[in-house]
Amino acid sequence: MMIVMKEGATEAQIAQVVERVDRAGARAHVSRGEFVTVIGAIGDDRELVAQLNLDGEPGVERVVPILKPYKLVSRDFRGPDAAIEIAGRRVGGDSFCLIAGPCTVESREQTLGTADTVKAVGASMLRGGAYKPRSSPYTFQGLGKAALEILAEARERTGLPVVTEVMDVRQLEDVVEVADVIQVGARNMQNFDLLKEIGRTGTAVLLKRGLAATIEEWLLSAEYIAREGNDRIMLCERGIRTFETAYRSTLDISAVPVVKQLSGLPVIVDPSHAAGKRDLILPMARAAVVAGADGLIVEVHPSPETALCDGPQALHSDTFAGWVADVRRCVDLMGKVVAGGAPVAVGA
Ligand code: PEP
Ligand code: MN
């Protein structure tokens, strides 16, 4: 539940409420706003409301139960469209986050070349996988630590924040050295121990929706991360598995406004993994932007024909600027601005 303090409530009154919440066996989470302080009491709401009986206590304005099973990531708790800040860029509100880069780091040349392309179009962040969750153990599994070093170089060279996936707690220490955003892939959305460990880092997170996850399960996974103290979370809709086989996954556009109603966390859409086919990515990206997404994450490659992973869905580096120009028109239409900057002439 949420305990909204009165404007001008004293530190002693806030401390008193926090102590009562702690004593009731719940966890207190204090958010200080410009005018009022809100204390989240994280536990079983029905029990807490009865046990704490805080209405009318000194400094308390009102007590609001949160009936959803997730609390910290709920819209009731966070407020609408609470933007988050990642490496100097705002994500959410009127700030649109365009993330682009290769599916996977294959070589220094391929990654730095793509990073330059991504920078030139004025994107917000660079993506690139070092550890890859592949369906087959016989396919390319990622370059691991060597890839992280290449990503660090790309970050240094372009100034772009880096988004990269972690699949296992054992990779986390190395990944947080380089990543501005830790990606949790669809296959790991319910790896609860990994989520908890990521929640203990101070690094922002891109939490992809599982292939067969409901929106509630997805938000509960975000809650696992937030509960450990890390609430800089972007949710990523990347398509779910349905009976349809004409494309790789079914992009659940409805999830965008629904999640925004329920949560207030920024929602990023990944049309690349949903479509699985290059020519579907632009119409799906446009739809996502107009549905209210706070950002897009797309795969780009200098030579998709030779890509080691996800080539058929990779946008060509050569034509990427035109693709972004089209998407920017939709971003404009929504009254948003791509966080990162204006496109610059290649070679400038
Ligand atoms: C990826 O981003 O390259 C990836 C593997 O994504 P997902 O977890 O959505 O399949
Ligand atoms: Mn991929």
Side-chain angles (χ1 to χ4, degrees):
M1 68 197 211
M2 264 179 354
I3 302 132
V4 182
M5 300 301 288
K6 289 195 167 115
E7 216 178 308
T10 64
E11 283 304 317
Q13 289 168 337
I14 295 170
Q16 170 76 9
V17 171
V18 168
E19 199 194 312
R20 295 263 302 267
V21 170
D22 284 345
R23 258 193 282 133
R27 198 184 283 205
H29 187 290
V30 182
S31 342
R32 289 170 203 275
E34 202 180 327
F35 302 109
V36 292
T37 295
V38 175
I39 301 165
I42 313 303
D44 184 306
D45 264 35
R46 256 163 307 180
E47 252 179 47
L48 280 175
V49 171
Q51 199 183 331
L52 282 167
N53 198 18
L54 282 166
D55 264 324
E57 281 298 300
V60 173
E61 174 70 34
R62 62 182 192 281
V63 174
V64 188
I66 302 176
L67 300 170
K68 302 257 173 2
Y70 41 85
K71 319 277 177 191
L72 296 170
V73 304
S74 71
R75 190 180 173 98
D76 297 342
F77 186 69
R78 291 184 66 90
D81 300 324
I84 58 177
E85 203 261 357
I86 299 171
R89 282 150 173 85
R90 250 163 55 84
V91 183
D94 57 8
S95 189
F96 190 85
C97 182
L98 178 60
I99 307 168
C103 173
T104 180
V105 172
E106 298 168 13
S107 69
R108 182 172 176 272
E109 194 193 2
Q110 166 252 7
T111 303
L112 298 187
T114 312
D116 288 348
T117 303
V118 169
K119 170 79 177 173
V121 300
S124 320
M125 299 185 192
L126 175 71
R127 64 151 289 150
Y131 300 96
K132 294 305 300 177
R134 305 303 304 278
S135 299
S136 163
Y138 301 111
T139 53
F140 180 64
Q141 304 285 305
L143 293 178
K145 272 194 191 188
L148 293 177
E149 280 166 28
I150 296 170
L151 286 170
E153 191 179 344
R155 183 177 188 273
E156 184 72 32
R157 174 182 169 112
T158 59
L160 289 170
V162 162
V163 182
T164 195
E165 178 161 357
V166 70
M167 298 202 311
D168 188 283
V169 281
R170 287 166 294 186
Q171 297 156 358
L172 199 53
E173 204 179 319
D174 291 332
V175 168
V176 293
E177 293 243 322
V178 175
D180 295 284
V181 179
I182 300 168
Q183 176 174 322
V184 178
R187 289 150 192 86
N188 265 314
M189 189 205 84
Q190 288 190 312
N191 183 339
F192 301 118
D193 285 336
L194 179 63
L195 300 177
K196 284 191 225 165
E197 209 57 54
I198 289 172
R200 294 178 196 127
T201 72
T203 309
V205 186
L206 180 82
L207 178 64
K208 290 196 151 194
R209 181 179 182 182
L211 278 85
T214 64
I215 288 172
E216 184 166 299
E217 286 164 341
W218 187 19
L219 290 172
L220 281 167
S221 289
E223 186 82 5
Y224 264 96
I225 299 170
R227 191 165 181 272
E228 299 301 323
N230 185 355
D231 65 355
R232 289 193 305 140
I233 305 166
M234 298 182 275
L235 296 165
C236 177
E237 162 60 41
R238 47 79 70 213
I240 48 175
R241 192 165 275 186
T242 67
F243 53 81
E244 186 51 72
T245 55
Y247 28 78
R248 195 172 174 187
S249 290
T250 300
L251 183 64
D252 184 6
I253 286 286
S254 321
V256 176
V258 169
V259 165
K260 289 187 72 71
Q261 279 167 13
L262 295 173
S263 149
L265 286 176
V267 181
I268 309 293
V269 169
D270 175 349
S272 303
H273 288 86
K277 290 181 187 166
R278 187 171 308 116
D279 59 347
L280 297 180
I281 298 172
L282 181 59
M284 290 162 72
R286 288 177 181 148
V289 177
V290 177
D294 297 291
L296 289 167
I297 179 166
V298 288
E299 293 186 339
V300 188
H301 197 285
S303 134
E305 317 65 47
T306 61
L308 297 179
C309 186
D310 287 348
Q313 70 194 33
L315 300 167
H316 279 272
S317 292
D318 287 352
T319 54
F320 189 50
W323 190 93
V324 173
D326 192 306
V327 166
R328 275 184 190 272
R329 282 199 287 277
C330 300
V331 174
D332 283 349
L333 186 69
M334 297 303 289
K336 298 182 183 176
V337 177
V338 175
V344 295
V346 178

